[in-house]
Amino acid sequence: MAYTASIESEKKEIAIRYKDMLKDTYQTLSNTDKLMIRKAFDIAADAHKDQRRKTGEPYIFHPIAVAKIVANEIGLGAYSIASALLHDVVEDTDYTFADIEQLFGETIAKIVNGLTKISKLQKDQNASIQAENFRKMLLTLNDDVRVILIKIADRLHNMQTLDSMREDKQVKIASETLFIYAPLAHRLGLYNIKTQLEDLGLKYTESEVYNDIKNKIFESEEEQQKYIDSFTKTIKKSLDQEGFVYTIKGRTKSIYSIRRKMLNQAVSFEEVYDKFAIRIVYKSTLKDEKFDAWKIYSIVTDHFSPNPNRLRDWITQPKTTGYESLHTTVMGPQGKWVEVQIRSSRMDEIAEKGYAAHFKYKHGSQKESGLEEWLNKLRESLENPDVNAVDFVEQFKLNLYAKEIYVFTPDGDIKSLPKGATALDFAFAIHSEIGMRCRAAKVNGRLTQISKELHSGDQVEIITAKNQKPKLAWLDIVKTARAKSKIKSILKEEHKIIAKEGKEVLDRKLRHLKIKLNEKTINELVNFFKLKTSFDLFYKIGNGSIDNQQLKKYASQRSNVLMHFLKSRMNRPTALKDVTSKEEVTANYDMLVFGRDEEKLKYSLSKCCNPIPGDPVFGFITIKDGIKVHKRNCPNAVSMQSQYAYRVISAKWIDSSQQGFKVTLELTGVDNMGLVNEVTRVISGNLNVNIHSLNISGDEGFFHGTITVHVKNNKQVNNLIKKLLEIDGLEKVTRNSS
C-alpha cells in the first residue's frame, strides 16, 4: 500500500515519534542531556527534510526509530541517543564531521564517524563492501563500543522495514544480518535484539519456512498458555509461602531457533519438545540473589523431577556475554520436559539488554567481567588491521557464537575459552609473550603437546623457552581469534622481507607469461592456490613453495568468469524475455534462467545442496567453475550472499518437464508386513516415478530406509512425500540434500 500523508500530518507524526522515543528515559535525563538530544533531533530533521525512505515516508522516521531502540531496548544514554539521531547526517547530507564536532564535541563526532559507511571503494577491490564497512565499524571500537551498539540498532530497524526493498536486496541484507549482526548482538548480550534479527533474517532468506513455523506457533499459543498456567499453579503456592516477590512467564523459543533445532536434529515442528521455557524472575538483594536462586530451584524440583543432565549454573560462573541465570529441565505435567530459567530482576535486565545493563550494575573495583575481557581481547586483535576485509571478518566471527569452556591456571584462576581451544590458545589468553614462547604444556599435571585440546575443568600450566618462536603450523593449532591475530602479526614481521622479494619475483614471472600483476590477478592467484591472503601468496613465491610450473598451470586455466558474464550480456543481440509459448519453453528452455532479463547461461548444480527444478535457487559466479547454482537454504548461502554479494545473481526455473533428476528420501517408521511392496506401489504405480535404488533395514520392530528416485521437479517430490506418509507405519519421510 502506497504511503500518503499531508505535510501537516507528517509534522505531527514526527513530533509524536520523537516524544515516544524519549518517554522511557525522559525522567532519568538531565536538562543538559535533553537540550543536547533536542539539538541533535532538530539538526537531523532539517538535514533530512527533503529525503524519503523507500516506503515514501519522511527519512527522519528512521533516525528516530534507531534512537528509540538505543534508548529503550539497549538502555544507552544521552550521547548515544544523540549519535543515533545524527548517524546518517554526514553520509547523506552536506554536514561534515567537523560540523558535528563543532556542534556536539569530539565524543559524538567520533561515534558518528564510526557509523558512517564507506561510500566508495576502488573498482578493482575484490572484497565485500559490507565486510569493509563492518571492519571500519570494529576499528572504531578502539575509541567507543557504543558505535557497534548503535550500528546493531540501525540494522534492526532496517530489517524491520525491509519489505519495501527489492527481493534480491532483501536476501543480501538478511544474509549479512544472519552472518554478522545477529552473532554480534548475541556476543554483546543483546538477547531480544539477537532474536529479532535472526527471525527477520529467516523471514527474508527462507520465507516459506518462516511463515510455516510462525503459523504453527500461533495455532498452538492457546494450548501452550494453558500448559504454562497448569505448571505455574503448582509452584506458586510454595513460592508465596517462602515470601518471594516474583513473576512467572512463558517464553516461546524464537522461530529461528526452532528452525535450527529442526535442521540439527532432523525433526518436524511437532517433534521439537522444548519450544518454550518457563522463566521465574524474582526480586532480591545482590547479597542474597544466589542463595534465593537455589532456594527457588529446590521448590521447583520438589514438585517436578529434574533431568540431571540438563542443569546449567550460569550464576556461579556467568557466560562471557555477562549472562547470569540458573537453568534446569524438569518433567512437567502430561509427561512433557519443560526448561525452567531462574534469575533475579538484575540478571534479567542484563540478559535482555546486555552490555549497557551490565555496566549499570557494575560497582567500583568489582572484578572485570567476561564481557569486558572479551572487548579487551577484541581491541587487541584490531591491532593487526592489514589483512583483507573478508579474512578480517572471518577471524572476528571465530568467537561470536562459540560455546565456552572454563579452564584453571596453576594458581586457580578461571579463564574462559571457546570450545575446541588448545593449550596454545590458553598460553595466548594469559599473555602474548607467554604464547610466543610456548613450548609445551602440563594439563592436569601431565606433560603434553601445545596442540592438546582442552576441556572444562582442566588445570593448565604453560612451559616456555627463550629461543622458541611462532611457526606457521601454529595457525592450524589455535582456535581463538586473538591467538591467530598475534601469530599472524609475528610471522608477518619475520617474513616481510621474503614476501617483499616474492612480490618482485611474481611480477617478473607474470610479465614473462604476459599477465599483468594487479589486485584482480592477485585475488585470482590467492583463490587458485587456496590461500587466505595476498601476503601468503607473496611469501610462498618468495620461499619457492610456488614454482614456475604451478604458475604456468594457473596461466593456462586462467579465465575471468565475471568479465565473460558481463561481456555476454553486452554482446547478446536478444535476451530471453517474454516467453509466451509453453511448447517453446518445454522444448528449448528446460533449464534455469538468470538475472532480470531471464537469460540462458551455462551453469552447474552445486553438490553441497543438490538443487532440483522448482527449488528456490540463486546463482553464484565462481572464479574457475562458472556459475554454480545453490538452493536458497543451502548451508553456505548466508556466507556467500553476505560476503560476496557482487557475485550473486538471481535465478529461477522456467520449465523442467523434459528432464529427470535424482533425489534421495529417508524413511523411518514401524516395521509392518508388506511395507516395501506398499512403498514401491505408491512410487511407481500412482505417481509414475522411477525407482533408482531402495534400501530398507529393520531392527526390533522399527525400520530405516533410503530410496533414490528419478523426478522432474520439486512439486513431484512433495507429492511423493505426501503420498508416502499416508502409508500405515511410515512415521517420517525427509529429503536428503547431501
Side-chain angles (χ1 to χ4, degrees), residues 238-247 280 282-284 288 291-296 299:
S238 298
L239 290 170
D240 291 340
Q241 285 176 347
E242 293 294 334
F244 281 108
V245 179
Y246 64 93
T247 57
I280 303 171
Y282 60 94
K283 289 189 177 179
S284 181
D288 295 332
F291 174 79
D292 288 342
W294 285 106
K295 195 172 181 181
I296 292 171
I299 290 170

Side-chain angles (χ1 to χ4, degrees), residues 673-688:
M673 286 284 291
L675 185 70
V676 176
N677 286 338
E678 186 65 14
V679 168
T680 54
R681 185 188 65 77
V682 166
I683 295 172
S684 54
N686 291 351
L687 298 168
N688 296 316

Side-chain angles (χ1 to χ4, degrees), residues 114 116-119 121 128-138 151 181 389:
T116 301
K117 300 170 188 172
I118 295 173
S119 56
L121 291 174
S128 167
I129 293 176
Q130 185 58 43
E132 286 288 353
N133 291 338
F134 185 73
R135 174 179 177 163
K136 183 181 181 186
M137 178 180 71
L138 282 179
K151 191 69 176 177
Y181 287 95

Side-chain angles (χ1 to χ4, degrees), residues 594 617-621 627-630 647-651:
F594 298 87
V617 291
F618 65 91
F620 184 75
I621 303 169
I627 297 172
K628 288 275 189 181
V629 174
H630 296 260
R647 291 196 198 168
V648 173
I649 55 174
S650 60

